[in-house]
Amino acid sequence: MAFVIAVAQRKGGAGKSTIAANLAAAYAEEGARVALLDIDPQRTLARWDELRGRSAKARPLHFEAPTGWRLPSVLDRLRRESDVVLLDTAPHDDSDARTAVRAADLVLVPLQPSPADLWSMDATLDLAKKEGRTLALVLNRAPASGRLLDQVTAQIAQRGLPLAGAALGNRTAFAQAFMSGLGAVEAAPKGVAAAEARALAAALRALQGR
Ligand SMILES: Nc1ncnc2c1ncn2[C@@H]1O[C@H](COP(=O)(O)OP(=O)(O)OP(=O)(O)O)[C@@H](O)[C@H]1O
Ligand SMILES: [Mg+2]
């Protein structure tokens, strides 16, 4: 049975699609059978996948964009056929995003170290808690150090929220890879962004089965 990770956060632009794509590429690099589902009407990852088809560096992964009544049955099938299923959800409350959270073994909530991202995630956290899902926050576009980072991590700790043991920095390499339909591990395998994507993939694996 697959490890199902739903990437969810109501705040637009927090990094859901970037993280879902980069985790998918990182798990594919490990040789896992990866399914990536875009259930956001913006279809960001559907476009990423189209570009992917033209790149020789892209490792095989299964992509689908199921919506509505098709989503639960697609999830059931891919849970059986894959090692990892990643879902990229919309930045607003919709029933597909709720289905994704309910189906997830892990709800991954990206946030940039900013008050706006901290304040916007409560609805997602409440739903994950209500559904009894394992939760992990991940800092995205995080500086290596600084006062704001300290304040945000202190607030996360104060609230007793679980923070993934790996973060992604603010790196053009992520956006650059995305432009070619790739993850950082494929576009620049020796780069810092690739190392961060692999570290996050490993940190989440450690949460599997919790
Ligand atoms: N770690 C990062 N370093 C640099 N740029 C990043 C990083 N993460 C995301 N971005 C950029 O930030 C923007 C928003 O990222 P992304 O589309 O992944 O967010 P999202 O949460 O999926 O947005 P939406 O809520 O609209 O679906 C994009 O331009 C992306 O390239
Ligand atoms: Mg998105």
Side-chain angles (χ1 to χ4, degrees):
M1 289 289 259
F3 180 32
V4 181
I5 304 172
V7 187
Q9 151 73 293
R10 293 280 175 86
K11 176 79 176 62
K16 296 176 285 296
S17 302
T18 302
I19 287 177
N22 276 283
L23 284 174
Y27 287 124
E29 182 185 51
E30 293 173 8
R33 293 169 301 166
V34 178
L36 179 63
L37 301 188
D38 183 2
I39 60 166
D40 178 358
Q42 291 183 99
R43 296 181 58 81
T44 308
L45 288 188
R47 297 179 77 167
W48 177 81
D49 186 64
E50 276 165 29
L51 294 169
R52 198 170 168 75
R54 295 182 216 152
S55 174
K57 293 181 179 172
R59 289 198 181 76
L61 59 82
H62 180 83
F63 177 82
E64 273 187 62
T67 53
W69 60 269
R70 287 186 55 239
L71 178 58
S73 61
V74 169
L75 267 170
D76 277 353
R77 170 168 52 81
L78 292 176
R79 193 189 274 281
R80 275 182 271 113
E81 293 174 357
S82 323
D83 299 312
V84 182
V85 177
L86 286 149
L87 294 117
D88 180 28
T89 65
H92 52 261
D93 184 25
D94 75 1
S95 67
D96 286 346
R98 287 197 295 275
T99 303
V101 167
R102 281 192 199 104
D105 300 308
L106 176 70
V107 179
L108 183 64
V109 181
L111 75 158
Q112 300 187 22
S114 84
D117 285 44
L118 259 182
W119 297 333
S120 309
M121 67 184 180
D122 283 353
T124 308
L125 301 187
D126 289 348
L127 177 62
K129 279 190 194 146
K130 195 172 125 225
E131 298 292 335
R133 304 292 88 194
T134 300
L135 186 73
L137 272 48
V138 57
L139 288 171
N140 185 32
R141 304 185 95 161
S145 61
R147 188 147 173 261
L148 184 59
L149 180 72
D150 293 345
Q151 286 172 326
V152 169
T153 45
Q155 284 206 27
I156 291 170
Q158 242 169 38
R159 293 178 58 184
L161 295 168
L163 186 61
L168 301 187
N170 186 17
R171 306 196 188 283
T172 47
F174 287 116
Q176 190 73 54
F178 207 92
M179 282 276 250
S180 314
L182 297 171
V185 298
E186 296 164 323
K190 295 193 176 135
V192 183
E196 287 177 343
R198 286 185 199 108
L200 180 60
L204 301 185
R205 276 279 204 207
L207 301 175
Q208 190 173 5
R210 288 255 178 111

